[in-house]
Amino acid sequence: MSEKKRIAAIKGTKDILPKEARKWQRVEATAKRIFELYGYREIRAPIFEATELFEKGTGETSDIVIKEMYTFKDKAGRSLTLRPEYTPSIVRSIIEHRLYLQPDPLRFYFIGPMFRYDKPQKGRYRQFHQMDIEVFGEEAPAVDAEIVEMADYLLKTLKVTETEILVNSVGCQGCRPLYLKELREAAEKKRALLCPDCQRKITANPLRIFDCKVETCREAARGFPKITDFLCAECEANFDSFKAHLDSFQISYIVEPRLVRGIDYYTRITFEIISAKLGAQDAILGGGRYDDMMKVFGGPDICGTGFAVGMERLVSLAPFTREAEDFLYLAFLGDEAQEKGMALARFLRQNDLECLIEYKERSLRNQISRANKLGARWVLIVGEEEIKSGKYQLKNMATGNQVEVGKEDIIKVIRESA
RNA sequence: GUGGAUGUAGCUCAGUCGGAUAGAGCACCAGGUUGUGGCCCUGGUGGUCGGGGGUUCAAGUCCCCUCAUCCACCCCA
């Protein structure tokens, strides 16, 4: 504590303390249950991979690869990277284990930490956690719609409200380059009206001009071409079908032609679910289709689609009612009672009852006071008299009522009152 | 990487114009009550005032640097 320099958690990381971890457990359990209902199965890949995996998968022009990766050399000189996202790992795993030759559907989910060297702020951390789901080998837009529906169901189940679903199509290798060219030309004509930042974006990433908050930029951007007007016939049909399925699910969404995913591999359908309660980092989850990644890694030509949920963001939005902890505090008086008490605690735990007992002698008043502060629902008193008679005092902390019970009846009384 | 705000006890925060042993509430520990919690009363533990340097007779207070946190840009979950 009073050492010269105390060691603190690394910038952008944080401890999830027990109270908070309880929320995470609830959210994760709910998500797993729902993912499994839709036929997804858990997959777990290593936390670090060959750096090349992300350079090729996430994309060498993406911000993530250019400036946000935790890359290091191991003792043999290999370049390794703490994963900044999960999709490339899954693709690698599928190829490595030839999972596409299995009869099982290629539907996976995953929960775990990711690492990006970003400047921390609200909803953004250097170690953060994502839940990912991915489907491979299904190109029908019905599956994209089903994914959005599943995400929607997850949020509703967790009682996350006031969210918006944004959808877009970023086109394919055929139509997107054409659009970008048109957009650049349109922006170039209005260069004088744009802020310095947006002038830079004209060449770097013209789609981002749409995000600018400067009024003159917004004004100018209104006249710019939209990707949705440039989709090729196939992409347009694909997008229309996707939207039609969402309509039949009666899921409302907003077509947002400005929705660009900052990862290079996306093709066609992309989507995001946002909440205004999150601040500047407003995406709870985001995803889309990546039809070319498997090929890029020398695997079969299998398409993929999926999304990633930001756990920190989701947990912060999910309302959480703390339930009373159903546990028993065992109060003992004297050495003999301590021995008896420890044996009793063991017995109760083996009968599936959470049980706490002190390790040093304290007054009964003190013990019951502690039981109260800790939130115990029951106190079992073990003193000399109880040991003699084999009957213990079982106190209900909420009502203050106290009954005398034998060892075998403790569990019974507690279960019956629940 | 750029910009702004904030750092005083475990938590929330006072601390005047630079002035004496750095405070409060909550929390924690003990006692008031030899075998019965919550309320109340009494006492106690806990701080190198984020760190370093400077100005000054004197710095929690003023100046510089640094670190951390928060917020925003960028980008994303």
Side-chain angles (χ1 to χ4, degrees), chain A residues 330-379:
Chain A
L330 197 152
F332 65 86
L333 291 157
D335 291 344
E336 196 190 345
Q338 178 172 18
E339 287 305 311
K340 255 295 195 281
M342 289 177 74
L344 258 175
R346 182 191 203 185
F347 166 79
L348 294 173
R349 288 163 180 156
Q350 288 175 359
N351 280 277
D352 211 27
L353 182 71
E354 184 179 339
C355 193
L356 283 186
I357 181 170
E358 300 292 341
Y359 302 98
K360 66 173 187 192
E361 182 108 44
R362 290 170 178 275
S363 72
L364 183 62
R365 168 189 156 82
N366 189 288
Q367 290 185 78
I368 292 180
S369 172
R370 283 170 63 79
N372 180 55
K373 275 184 278 199
L374 295 171
R377 186 167 288 177
W378 303 92
V379 170

Side-chain angles (χ1 to χ4, degrees), chain A residues 15 20 23 30 41 66 71 81 100-101 104 118 132 161 187 207 210 237 287 293 310 312 336 367 400 413-414 418:
Chain A
D15 301 315
E20 180 75 358
K23 295 177 68 170
T30 301
R41 294 296 178 261
I66 294 170
T71 296
T81 294
Y100 48 87
L101 298 177
D104 311 308
D118 241 337
D132 255 71
T161 56
L207 291 160
F210 290 115
M293 200 192 298
E312 283 80 1
E336 196 190 345
Q367 290 185 78
V413 171
I414 288 176

Side-chain angles (χ1 to χ4, degrees), chain A residues 21-119:
Chain A
R22 181 68 81 204
K23 295 177 68 170
W24 282 60
Q25 289 172 342
R26 301 258 178 92
V27 170
E28 285 171 11
T30 301
K32 284 183 179 182
R33 201 190 80 235
I34 289 173
F35 296 156
E36 300 257 350
L37 284 174
Y38 285 75
Y40 292 75
R41 294 296 178 261
E42 187 171 14
I43 187 169
R44 304 188 189 195
I47 217 162
F48 55 83
E49 299 269 3
T51 301
E52 196 191 355
L53 179 71
F54 303 110
E55 289 172 346
K56 285 173 74 177
T58 309
E60 281 167 319
T61 59
S62 67
D63 274 27
I64 291 175
V65 171
I66 294 170
K67 53 186 189 187
E68 297 175 5
M69 295 208 298
Y70 276 94
T71 296
F72 60 97
K73 285 215 157 82
D74 72 3
K75 295 192 184 209
R78 288 174 281 243
S79 180
L80 306 179
T81 294
L82 299 181
R83 61 178 177 223
E85 59 146 348
Y86 201 62
T87 309
S89 296
I90 300 191
V91 169
R92 195 220 76 233
S93 180
I94 289 171
I95 294 170
E96 193 165 328
H97 301 287
R98 304 280 191 275
L99 292 182
Y100 48 87
L101 298 177
Q102 303 295 316
D104 311 308
L106 296 173
R107 286 197 273 260
F108 308 104
Y109 72 88
F110 162 83
I111 302 176
M114 305 290 160
F115 306 84
R116 290 183 200 169
Y117 195 86
D118 241 337
K119 185 142 177 179

Side-chain angles (χ1 to χ4, degrees), chain A residues 283-298:
Chain A
I284 305 167
L285 64 89
R289 182 161 277 280
Y290 43 97
D291 290 339
D292 304 324
M293 200 192 298
M294 198 77 80
K295 259 188 307 191
V296 168
F297 284 106

Side-chain angles (χ1 to χ4, degrees), chain A residues 20 23-24 26-32 34-35 111 123 125 129-132 151-161 163 273 275 278 281-285 307-320:
Chain A
E20 180 75 358
K23 295 177 68 170
W24 282 60
R26 301 258 178 92
V27 170
E28 285 171 11
T30 301
K32 284 183 179 182
I34 289 173
F35 296 156
I111 302 176
Y125 305 93
H129 299 76
Q130 286 187 334
M131 298 194 293
D132 255 71
D152 180 68
Y153 180 51
L154 172 63
L155 295 182
K156 283 191 167 68
T157 305
L158 291 172
K159 298 186 165 54
V160 175
T161 56
T163 59
I273 299 185
S275 165
L278 286 173
Q281 264 59 49
D282 62 356
I284 305 167
L285 64 89
F307 65 74
V309 188
M311 279 296 290
E312 283 80 1
R313 296 177 190 179
L314 180 59
V315 168
S316 77
L317 291 172
F320 180 74

Side-chain angles (χ1 to χ4, degrees), chain A residues 155-370:
Chain A
L155 295 182
K156 283 191 167 68
T157 305
L158 291 172
K159 298 186 165 54
V160 175
T161 56
E162 296 169 63
T163 59
E164 282 183 347
I165 299 175
L166 309 180
V167 302
N168 190 25
S169 174
V170 296
C172 61
Q173 304 289 14
C175 49
R176 180 158 45 172
L178 196 74
Y179 168 67
L180 288 177
K181 183 168 166 282
E182 293 281 337
L183 179 59
R184 280 204 178 92
E185 281 170 14
E188 196 61 57
K189 280 179 197 159
K190 303 271 185 182
R191 175 176 281 274
L193 298 173
L194 299 174
C195 69
D197 208 29
C198 285
Q199 293 186 8
R200 185 182 54 77
K201 289 177 187 169
I202 294 173
T203 45
N205 194 345
L207 291 160
R208 288 280 166 209
I209 296 171
F210 290 115
D211 290 340
C212 190
K213 280 152 190 136
V214 177
E215 193 48 46
T216 52
C217 295
R218 299 181 77 108
E219 184 82 21
R222 262 174 222 133
F224 291 176
K226 291 178 174 168
I227 178 76
T228 39
D229 296 328
F230 280 77
L231 297 177
C232 62
E234 289 83 13
C235 286
E236 189 168 7
N238 174 276
F239 192 40
D240 287 344
S241 170
F242 169 65
K243 288 184 289 183
H245 281 109
L246 288 181
D247 290 338
S248 75
F249 276 130
Q250 294 187 305
I251 285 177
S252 52
Y253 55 88
I254 298 167
V255 176
E256 180 52 89
R258 307 176 312 178
L259 177 64
V260 193
R261 315 241 79 250
I263 298 175
D264 293 352
Y265 52 65
Y266 284 107
T267 51
R268 293 190 165 173
I269 294 163
T270 62
F271 58 88
E272 206 167 85
I273 299 185
I274 61 171
S275 165
K277 295 174 186 167
L278 286 173
Q281 264 59 49
D282 62 356
I284 305 167
L285 64 89
R289 182 161 277 280
Y290 43 97
D291 290 339
D292 304 324
M293 200 192 298
M294 198 77 80
K295 259 188 307 191
V296 168
F297 284 106
D301 188 3
I302 292 177
C303 60
T305 182
F307 65 74
V309 188
M311 279 296 290
E312 283 80 1
R313 296 177 190 179
L314 180 59
V315 168
S316 77
L317 291 172
F320 180 74
T321 48
R322 196 179 162 188
E323 292 164 19
E325 304 281 337
D326 190 14
F327 74 93
L328 177 148
Y329 181 104
L330 197 152
F332 65 86
L333 291 157
D335 291 344
E336 196 190 345
Q338 178 172 18
E339 287 305 311
K340 255 295 195 281
M342 289 177 74
L344 258 175
R346 182 191 203 185
F347 166 79
L348 294 173
R349 288 163 180 156
Q350 288 175 359
N351 280 277
D352 211 27
L353 182 71
E354 184 179 339
C355 193
L356 283 186
I357 181 170
E358 300 292 341
Y359 302 98
K360 66 173 187 192
E361 182 108 44
R362 290 170 178 275
S363 72
L364 183 62
R365 168 189 156 82
N366 189 288
Q367 290 185 78
I368 292 180
S369 172
R370 283 170 63 79

